[in-house]
Amino acid sequence: MANPTLLILAGDGIGPEVMDQVVRIIDWYGEKRSLAFDVEHDLVGGAAYDKHGTPLHDDTMAKALAADAVLLGAVGGPKYDALDFSVKPERGLLRLRKEMDLFSNLRPAQCFDALADFSSLKKDIVAGLDIMIVRELTSGVYFGEPRGIFEEGNERVGINTQRYTESEIDRVARSAFELARRRNNKVCSMEKANVMESGILWREVVQKVHDEDYPDVELTHMYADNGAMQLVRAPKQFDVIVTDNLFGDILSDCAAMLTGSLGMLPSASLGAPNADGRPKALYEPVHGSAPDIAGQGKANPIACILSFAMALRYSFDQGEEAARLEQAVEQVLADGARTADLMGPEDGTPISTTEMGDAILAALDASL
Ligand code: IPM
Ligand code: MG
């Protein structure tokens, strides 16, 4: 059988340096676990703009649609701030999400024991935390029409539209309930039904999907502002949180920080299954391009590496190999390996991006 295909889009800022470590891990799986992938590299974001004048070339889009999974690093940077909105690096990522129809974005926030002290919250509030945010990723205010900056009388008005159809809510709700069944069987849905019609519809549809097909899963509803507060007050009350595109963007950054560092958090963006049963899928770290530290070998590659672990689990049905990689990460953290983002100013000398890769590869070798 042909090897599964991976399209790697390392992108901008720290994207390429963290992705280099993932490539070493992919090679390790080929050599040591007979799990070989056919890997192709291409450009996205500012890197694509520099070469092609667009943040995502049509050929790259076609390759992404054909690949078994896409691994993405990060997009954006101050160099591109002045560009026209339509060619900003972020548009490349948003086009991938939209055209691959990646409606379900899984953002786990898990607190590794070794890092519980490093969270900005008290240790007992975050120790053992394991929650999953399911963010709707292809609709809502990110894509709703009308949008734009228009003249109105003697001034301009900026407009974006929050828009959700029943079927868009239905499909992301189902993915959250399915996940909950494989976890602790609880879903909390977040919206602003107190002020937004789209929130009223959201709540109704989630409840209906639950009552008809997932009555065994515990479902609660929460206004998203209260949800943000509860996430920092008592995050362990949650199992799966399902929410829209914009609230999910914000709540997932908040949840990420509970775990100690944005440099730890992976994500999977999944679409409907293809003919072979595999969902269209893109895996990326939640952190951005971090231009302030780019090119210095300081970045933490763990979020990107754990994104590859999610690919093993959700695209390639390799749950055991995904767990092997996650345990290797847990092991190196327990052994004290720390990149700069995981240290305070008085905590000594951090290790580099490559040294973190070395440590994880050594832990993988030790797992055999
Ligand atoms: C994210 C990012 C993106 C988003 C940006 C880079 C477009 O913040 O993936 O959370 O807003 O969705
Ligand atoms: Mg974000």
Side-chain angles (χ1 to χ4, degrees):
M1 252 180 42
N3 293 332
T5 58
L6 288 175
L7 176 66
I8 295 191
L9 304 173
D12 307 324
I14 60 171
E17 45 198 295
V18 295
M19 195 61 85
D20 283 346
Q21 304 312 311
V22 177
V23 170
R24 297 173 72 196
I25 286 172
I26 293 170
D27 291 345
W28 185 90
Y29 275 96
E31 281 162 29
K32 304 283 176 69
R33 304 301 301 155
S34 313
L35 196 60
F37 294 92
D38 287 342
V39 177
E40 196 177 341
H41 293 259
D42 209 334
L43 303 172
V44 70
Y49 177 83
D50 288 340
K51 175 134 188 243
H52 303 299
T54 162
L56 189 75
H57 195 279
D58 289 345
D59 291 349
T60 316
M61 187 66 241
K63 283 183 205 167
L65 286 167
D68 290 319
V70 178
L71 306 182
L72 188 135
V75 295
K79 184 178 162 195
Y80 307 103
D81 280 352
L83 285 185
D84 186 72
F85 187 75
S86 64
V87 290
K88 278 204 187 296
E90 290 77 6
R91 303 309 304 168
L93 175 57
L94 293 170
R95 179 175 177 201
L96 282 165
R97 290 175 178 172
K98 189 67 178 178
E99 291 192 27
M100 292 171 78
D101 202 17
L102 305 171
F103 62 88
S104 179
N105 179 215
L106 278 38
R107 298 191 160 189
Q110 233 172 327
C111 185
F112 289 86
D113 282 346
L115 297 182
D117 277 323
F118 199 71
S119 173
S120 50
L121 297 190
K122 294 193 192 79
K123 183 170 180 169
D124 59 311
I125 293 184
V126 293
L129 178 75
D130 178 5
I131 62 182
M132 176 75 87
I133 297 191
V134 179
R135 167 188 177 192
E136 200 292 324
L137 203 61
T138 51
S139 185
V141 77
Y142 272 60
F143 297 98
E145 301 280 348
R147 65 184 298 162
I149 300 176
F150 304 98
E151 300 288 338
E152 199 178 85
N154 57 0
E155 61 174 355
R156 292 179 305 159
V157 52
I159 296 181
N160 290 91
T161 302
Q162 168 81 337
R163 180 180 189 278
Y164 270 106
T165 64
E166 288 180 297
S167 52
E168 286 168 341
I169 303 168
D170 182 288
R171 65 182 185 171
V172 74
R174 276 176 206 284
S175 79
F177 288 126
E178 291 290 339
L179 264 172
R181 277 186 178 159
R182 282 180 272 134
R183 297 172 45 96
N184 293 320
N185 220 33
K186 286 196 328 192
V187 170
C188 180
S189 170
M190 296 187 186
E191 29 54 19
K192 286 280 290 176
N194 50 346
V195 285
M196 297 166 76
E197 284 79 0
S198 59
I200 296 175
L201 188 69
W202 181 280
R203 190 175 282 222
E204 264 177 41
V205 173
V206 172
Q207 189 66 52
K208 178 160 175 272
V209 170
H210 170 268
D211 296 350
E212 287 177 2
D213 292 323
Y214 300 91
D216 52 301
V217 180
E218 183 188 320
L219 171 66
T220 52
H221 302 274
M222 204 178 264
Y223 297 140
D225 54 343
N226 181 28
M229 192 267 278
Q230 296 297 336
L231 267 175
V232 288
R233 191 188 72 87
K236 282 188 259 181
Q237 69 186 285
F238 299 114
D239 177 24
V240 174
I241 292 172
V242 63
T243 190
D244 76 14
N245 204 342
L246 183 59
F247 293 139
D249 180 44
I250 297 166
L251 294 169
S252 63
D253 263 29
C254 177
M257 202 57 216
L258 300 174
T259 68
S261 169
L262 211 48
M264 297 293 300
L265 272 282
S267 80
S269 304
L270 307 177
N274 288 323
D276 63 3
R278 271 187 197 131
K280 286 231 180 317
L282 179 145
Y283 299 87
E284 57 175 320
V286 171
H287 63 68
S289 57
D292 52 320
I293 59 163
Q296 300 171 30
K298 285 185 187 169
N300 182 353
I302 290 179
C304 204
I305 289 170
L306 291 176
S307 298
F308 176 62
M310 291 186 88
L312 290 171
R313 177 171 291 119
Y314 293 106
S315 284
F316 304 114
D317 213 15
Q318 294 284 346
E320 278 176 32
E321 295 301 336
R324 177 194 301 279
L325 182 51
E326 288 157 356
Q327 278 153 21
V329 168
E330 193 157 356
Q331 184 62 50
V332 303
L333 292 170
D335 293 345
R338 298 281 185 275
T339 40
D341 56 306
L342 302 176
M343 298 182 98
E346 269 112 57
D347 293 345
T349 316
I351 62 171
S352 69
T353 310
T354 310
E355 286 165 334
M356 186 59 98
D358 295 342
I360 293 169
L361 285 166
L364 281 173
D365 277 335
S367 77
L368 295 177

